[in-house]
Amino acid sequence: MSFARRAATVLAAATALTVGLAIPALAHVTIQPGTAEQGGFTKVAFRVPNERDDASTVKVEVAFPTDHPLAFVSVKPLPGWEVKVTQGKLPKPVKTEYGDLEEAVTKVVWSGGKINPGEFQEFEVSMGQLPKDTDSLVFPTKQTYSKGEVVDWSDAPKTDGTEAEHPAPTLKLVPASGAGEHGMASASASAAPAAATAPSVAPVAAATSASDGTARLLGGAGLVVGVIGLVIGALGLRRRPAA
């Protein structure tokens, strides 16, 4: 009987570990994809899951960086949601290849819609020109629930490499992989007018998130099944009569 109790304890611990690993990975507000090339233009989606089982997400507010401002920002309309883009004066002008940038988008707010419990939504933005003198851009985000709760996703990455409690969505920037500086400049110049006139943005496939979540959950389920198999096998060996 004591062995059975120990087996049950191991199984419970394995299940708790699996759930603990799977749920946080799905819960954070993130930016997708998580990387883009320096000096270019990109389209991203702020992926917002609803973490509460008794309230809906009704407002999402994303702050844009002012230390590395983006000259061109456009948003994709999302049915059921109103969007407000706020421009503000920068602390100091920033030199770009298109001239000195004195104002830029500082905030984008989506409201009027609803993300129900157990659901997520993606808010798409096209932006550029991405800076070349930094390896990341941080977008602090506030998530407001229907009961008035506001979750502030603005924690900076920890120096020890562990994840913060409420990490801010962060876009990692990598060196351009184009055909050199001349080709990069030409590509950026040709993309700038399109960005300035609200470029078209292809839909982000919801299946990506579903696939990521399903993979994690299936992996966790496999771990639990494996532990169950070991426990059953051990019980069978202990009960097997001696020859």
Side-chain angles (χ1 to χ4, degrees):
M1 183 61 69
S2 61
F3 178 79
R5 283 199 296 268
R6 288 197 300 271
T9 301
V10 171
L11 179 59
T15 303
L17 176 61
T18 301
V19 173
L21 290 175
I23 292 179
L26 297 174
H28 299 336
V29 174
T30 58
I31 188 169
Q32 303 292 332
T35 60
E37 292 189 353
Q38 295 172 330
F41 290 78
T42 189
K43 186 267 293 181
V44 299
F46 292 95
R47 183 175 296 170
V48 182
N50 192 85
E51 291 186 301
R52 304 294 181 260
D53 56 9
D54 60 349
S56 299
T57 297
V58 294
K59 182 180 177 182
V60 176
E61 178 180 325
V62 179
F64 278 62
T66 56
D67 55 343
H68 293 93
L70 301 168
F72 306 104
V73 175
S74 61
V75 297
K76 182 179 179 181
L78 184 62
W81 291 82
E82 297 178 1
V83 59
K84 181 180 180 181
V85 180
T86 301
Q87 282 197 333
K89 195 171 183 64
L90 299 174
K92 61 179 181 179
V94 176
K95 292 187 178 296
T96 72
E97 61 185 84
Y98 308 109
D100 288 348
L101 186 63
E102 297 182 353
E103 291 188 352
V105 170
T106 57
K107 182 170 59 177
V108 178
V109 179
W110 288 268
S111 61
K114 183 185 295 185
I115 307 175
N116 294 316
E119 298 178 352
F120 74 93
Q121 185 58 267
E122 292 183 334
F123 302 89
E124 298 175 85
V125 177
S126 177
M127 59 190 185
Q129 183 178 9
L130 301 178
K132 301 178 182 179
D133 58 348
T134 183
D135 59 3
S136 65
L137 292 176
V138 180
F139 298 84
T141 300
K142 292 182 179 180
Q143 180 179 11
T144 302
Y145 286 92
S146 54
K147 290 189 174 182
E149 178 189 7
V150 178
V151 180
D152 192 359
W153 300 93
S154 60
D155 292 348
K158 292 185 177 181
T159 55
D160 61 2
T162 60
E163 189 173 60
E165 183 178 0
H166 295 98
T170 301
L171 179 66
K172 295 182 179 180
L173 302 180
V174 299
S177 58
E181 299 244 344
H182 182 274
M184 191 69 207
S186 299
S188 298
S190 62
T197 56
S200 59
V201 182
V204 172
T208 301
S209 177
S211 176
D212 292 344
T214 301
R216 293 190 183 97
L217 292 176
L218 287 177
L223 176 61
V224 173
V225 171
V227 172
I228 293 173
L230 291 174
V231 171
I232 292 174
L235 289 172
L237 289 175
R238 286 182 60 87
R239 294 177 177 177
R240 185 175 177 179

